[in-house]
Amino acid sequence: MSSIKETVLQKFAEVYGSAEGAKVYFAPGRVNLIGEHTDYNGGHVFPCALNIGTYGVARKREDNKLRFFSMNFEQRGVIESSLKSFVPGGDKNWTAYPKGVMWAFEQRGMKMPVGIDLLLFGNIPNGSGLSSSASVEVLTGSILRDLFGFEVTNQDLALIGQYSENKYNLVNCGIMDQFAIAMGKKDCAIFLDTATLQYEYAPVVLDGAKIVISSSNKKRGLGDSKYNERRSECETALAELQKVIDVKNLGELDEATFEKYKDAIKDDVRRKRAKHAVYENQRTLKAVAALKAGDLAQFGQLMNASHVSLRDDYEVTGIELDTLAEEAWKVPGVIGSRMTGAGFGGCSVSIVKDEAVDDFIARVGEAYEKKIGYPATFYVVQVGDGPTIL
Ligand code: GLA
């Protein structure tokens, strides 16, 4: 069996005539273990990079042209564009992700002197909530850095990726996804304070257990989801709190302080949203402490509590993700299970004892299909490194 590297190089040669001078790159996807919808509230997150992600083959051209081909959208063929055709907010194709990053580099004074031929292949299930778009962004950034010698750190790649997503693709995402991908480290999750970007690697030592991703197969588009609405609900709640307490963001509050001042938030729904942001951040701190202390059971309990809060207070789960989590909780050997990512479809993440994985997949799979009417897909994943040149 040929490796993915050989396969993508071969395809590149087929599509663009030859693969001479082309290089192969990889950027991972990510899964967030806990700390959901906290990254735009100045809270903490605890994601890790995966061993699945996006492969890119790239080669410099001698003119201004940009050519794109995705093995995930083969029927769209080669899409031609140029260095002069960046349209922030106006690009509808999948190429808006790599082009957004090229545009963002240009905004920072790093203009590509020539165009490139690019081929992408992703083995992250598309629309699954494992950040295929952030993976493409960080991948593109690392390609530009390598091909043109732009001086940027991996953390810059994360910030440039987020900037391009916010300003070119008009999705108001936080920093978590791009950071988790650009800064990924094998067998470690990243404990990131999104208010300061201070971070720490925490070994994910799952003695005798595995990370299982369950994809709901319900497609989710961040742009047209309720994501931006949740964000502004939190912003309004914060503004209300700021009338009674000196606080820069919801992530600064602990539970007791929130309870003391929460009546300043004049609307029940907004109060629930803010409660989630505050409590979820505190849960993340506790979960990381539990993991460091080797208390995986406690970590799992906090994951479950995170799901409940996302279901009842933040209301971003829906029947598909609730079914995945609630069925998982019933299976012996499941340490913890919750939705991951933005919600509204996408995936759940579960920590499952080795010997229970098959049973987990069978039982959750059966219950899910029975209730939802179509199957879920399961992936046993490993925690991988950030972007690499292959
Ligand atoms: C999406 C966004 C992230 C983060 C999560 C929710 O993945 O891109 O910035 O807000 O949702 O935790």
Side-chain angles (χ1 to χ4, degrees):
M1 212 181 74
S2 68
S3 67
I4 296 184
K5 181 178 174 182
E6 286 162 25
T7 309
V8 292
L9 274 172
Q10 211 176 343
K11 193 74 192 178
F12 187 94
E14 222 175 87
V15 171
Y16 296 119
S18 91
E20 217 189 297
K23 286 173 82 171
V24 184
Y25 305 81
F26 173 77
R30 71 94 186 90
V31 68
N32 188 23
L33 298 177
I34 194 162
E36 215 66 84
H37 289 281
T38 50
D39 68 344
Y40 50 85
N41 285 309
H44 293 76
V45 292
F46 196 49
C48 48
L50 298 174
N51 62 338
I52 52 175
T54 319
Y55 293 80
V57 188
R59 180 175 59 198
K60 276 196 245 184
R61 297 181 52 86
E62 280 168 3
D63 55 18
N64 253 335
K65 267 192 206 160
L66 297 168
R67 292 197 295 178
F68 300 97
F69 183 89
S70 166
M71 291 173 68
N72 299 79
F73 304 108
E74 288 218 9
Q75 68 290 357
R76 302 202 193 160
V78 175
I79 298 171
E80 272 206 26
S81 186
S82 92
L83 289 175
K84 296 204 181 328
S85 64
F86 297 131
V87 190
D91 231 325
K92 292 281 169 268
N93 218 298
W94 69 262
T95 55
Y97 288 94
K99 279 174 72 181
V101 171
M102 296 172 186
W103 169 82
F105 268 81
E106 203 175 286
Q107 296 293 301
R108 295 194 170 203
M110 294 173 280
K111 193 172 159 38
M112 295 162 63
V114 290
I116 62 173
D117 288 337
L118 180 66
L119 173 138
L120 296 186
F121 166 66
N123 57 3
I124 307 174
N126 193 30
S128 63
L130 300 180
S131 286
S132 48
S133 55
S135 178
V136 169
E137 288 156 10
V138 172
L139 177 77
T140 306
S142 68
I143 289 174
L144 299 190
R145 171 170 71 185
D146 183 57
L147 288 184
F148 300 111
F150 295 139
E151 282 183 26
V152 284
T153 62
N154 278 24
Q155 187 163 320
D156 294 332
L157 294 183
L159 290 165
I160 292 172
Q162 184 202 16
Y163 181 82
S164 76
E165 180 132 359
N166 292 167
K167 305 287 183 208
Y168 198 88
N169 289 297
L170 308 188
V171 179
N172 214 3
C173 66
I175 188 63
M176 171 170 74
D177 303 343
Q178 291 81 4
F179 200 95
I181 289 168
M183 305 296 284
K185 186 169 167 180
K186 193 171 174 1
D187 295 330
C188 286
I190 308 173
F191 180 40
L192 170 68
D193 179 348
T194 63
T196 59
L197 292 190
Q198 278 186 9
Y199 66 95
E200 185 190 315
Y201 290 110
V204 181
V205 191
L206 300 178
D207 255 343
K210 294 204 159 46
I211 300 177
V212 185
I213 308 281
S214 313
S215 172
S216 68
N217 290 324
K218 180 188 180 193
K219 294 283 180 256
R220 172 195 63 85
L222 257 191
D224 50 37
S225 74
K226 301 240 169 219
Y227 185 87
N228 289 348
E229 183 184 299
R230 290 294 178 281
R231 237 190 124 132
S232 62
E233 286 165 341
C234 285
E235 279 158 17
T236 308
L238 175 64
E240 289 171 293
L241 284 168
Q242 282 169 332
K243 292 190 181 140
V244 295
I245 175 176
D246 180 20
V247 60
K248 274 198 277 317
N249 53 53
L250 295 174
E252 278 176 23
L253 300 175
D254 59 19
E255 296 99 330
T257 316
F258 176 75
E259 292 301 330
K260 188 166 165 201
Y261 294 104
K262 69 178 181 192
D263 291 337
I265 304 170
K266 294 300 173 208
D267 170 84
D268 289 346
V269 171
R270 276 202 303 276
R271 205 174 306 117
K272 286 203 295 182
R273 307 294 192 244
K275 179 182 174 200
H276 167 79
V278 170
Y279 278 65
E280 178 74 356
N281 182 47
Q282 296 299 318
R283 264 191 294 276
T284 307
L285 303 178
K286 289 174 194 156
V288 174
L291 190 69
K292 283 184 183 165
D295 190 348
L296 202 54
Q298 172 68 7
F299 189 86
Q301 289 305 315
L302 290 160
M303 287 176 76
N304 298 350
S306 164
H307 185 90
V308 170
S309 176
L310 289 155
R311 181 189 68 194
D312 299 343
D313 287 336
Y314 219 63
E315 296 180 278
V316 292
T317 55
I319 185 164
E320 297 84 2
L321 292 172
D322 287 339
T323 303
L324 287 176
E326 287 159 18
E327 291 300 329
W329 297 339
K330 295 180 193 163
V331 180
V334 171
I335 294 164
S337 183
R338 57 180 289 275
M339 61 147 272
T340 183
F344 313 105
C347 289
S348 73
V349 56
S350 310
I351 299 183
V352 185
K353 289 202 171 132
D354 290 343
E355 64 276 12
V357 170
D358 291 342
D359 194 35
F360 169 88
I361 294 175
R363 285 174 62 171
V364 177
E366 193 181 327
Y368 184 84
E369 186 160 2
K370 199 160 155 215
K371 188 152 180 185
I372 306 299
Y374 53 83
T377 319
F378 299 88
Y379 307 86
V380 178
V381 292
Q382 262 130 40
V383 179
D385 277 317
T388 47
I389 302 176
L390 299 177

